[in-house]
């Protein structure tokens, strides 16, 4: 519920709201493109003298290491959109059961779980903590688990009753 409220409140404001740009230097660079980041600074160089340091005027985008691949705003918006689309998709799948709805549920659930697990692994299995090889192995395992899950759900939908009908049969027990 909190994700839906957050998405509805912030949808379309990405890069415009100061609250959202504080933590992301890439977004801050986009919103502050025309502002100058470094100004002339007066820095004490010793106890009795003051040295004036003049730094070149650079935008925040030039000082931060933001590359187009570092801007995760689009992925975040897609993740939230998928989570929000699951709200009407699940009841619709139960009201109109079909193989197409089962495949759509399988893809949506697997993608939603994949992004969640990948976020956990990227956040907690960092290369600085466990080493680069183990960090890459963790991400590779998430991709393998997601592919195996999607393949298993597709097989279950194709060769058995499907996701929605299996849940309905389980509820009848």
């Amino acid at each position: 519920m909190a994700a839906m409220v957050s998405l509805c409140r912030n949808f379309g404001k990405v890069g415009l709201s100061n609250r959202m740009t504080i933590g992301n230097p890439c977004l801050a660079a986009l919103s502050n493109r025309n502002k100058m980041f470094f100004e002339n600074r007066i820095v004490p160089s010793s106890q009795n003298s003051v040295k004036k340091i003049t730094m070149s005027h650079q935008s925040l985008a030039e000082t931060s290491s933001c590359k187009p691949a570092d801007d995760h705003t689009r992925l975040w918006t897609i993740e939230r959109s998928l989570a929000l689309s699951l709200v009407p998709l699940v009841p619709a799948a139960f009201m109109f059961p079909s193989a197409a709805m089962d495949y759509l549920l399988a893809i949506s659930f697997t993608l939603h779980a994949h992004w969640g697990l990948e976020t956990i692994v990227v956040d907690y299995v960092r290369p600085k903590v466990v080493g680069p090889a183990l960090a890459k192995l963790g991400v590779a395992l998430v991709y393998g688990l997601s592919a195996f899950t999607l393949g298993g759900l597709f097989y279950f939908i194709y060769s058995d009753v499907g996701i929605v009908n299996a849940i309905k049969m389980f509820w009848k027990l």
Side-chain angles (χ1 to χ4, degrees):
M1 186 67 171
M4 289 188 327
V5 172
S6 174
L7 179 67
C8 292
R9 183 178 21 183
N10 295 323
F11 196 77
K13 293 183 182 179
V14 177
L16 301 176
S17 172
N18 287 336
R19 183 175 48 126
M20 292 184 69
T21 61
I22 289 172
N24 189 340
C26 296
L27 289 179
L30 292 174
S31 66
N32 294 326
R33 185 179 306 263
N34 295 326
K35 295 181 182 178
M36 294 303 157
F37 185 64
F38 286 114
E39 298 293 332
N40 293 337
R41 302 284 184 215
I42 298 177
V43 179
S45 62
S46 68
Q47 292 180 352
N48 298 331
S49 67
V50 174
K51 181 180 178 184
K52 184 175 181 180
I53 297 177
T54 305
M55 302 183 90
S56 63
H57 287 75
Q58 297 176 341
S59 68
L60 186 58
E62 294 170 357
T63 60
S64 64
S65 63
C66 293
K67 300 177 188 90
D70 290 342
D71 187 14
H72 301 289
T73 307
R74 183 174 294 145
L75 180 61
W76 184 87
T77 305
I78 292 169
E79 289 172 358
R80 297 299 155 235
S81 300
L82 176 67
L84 189 62
S85 70
L86 285 173
V87 174
L89 180 64
V90 173
F94 280 93
M95 288 190 292
F96 310 107
S98 67
M101 290 299 272
D102 280 341
Y103 283 115
L104 192 58
L105 276 179
I107 292 169
S108 299
F109 285 150
T110 305
L111 196 55
H112 184 71
H114 170 77
W115 280 332
L117 288 174
E118 185 183 31
T119 301
I120 292 169
V121 169
V122 167
D123 285 348
Y124 293 106
V125 186
R126 294 186 302 253
K128 289 182 180 179
V129 176
V130 298
L134 196 56
K136 288 180 182 179
L137 178 66
V139 173
L141 286 174
V142 169
Y143 276 91
L145 178 67
S146 297
F148 182 76
T149 302
L150 187 62
L153 287 173
F154 279 2
Y155 179 76
F156 182 73
I157 293 166
Y158 181 75
S159 65
D160 210 339
V161 294
I163 297 172
V164 173
N165 288 330
I167 293 172
K168 286 182 178 180
M169 289 170 60
F170 181 73
W171 284 344
K172 287 182 182 179
L173 291 177

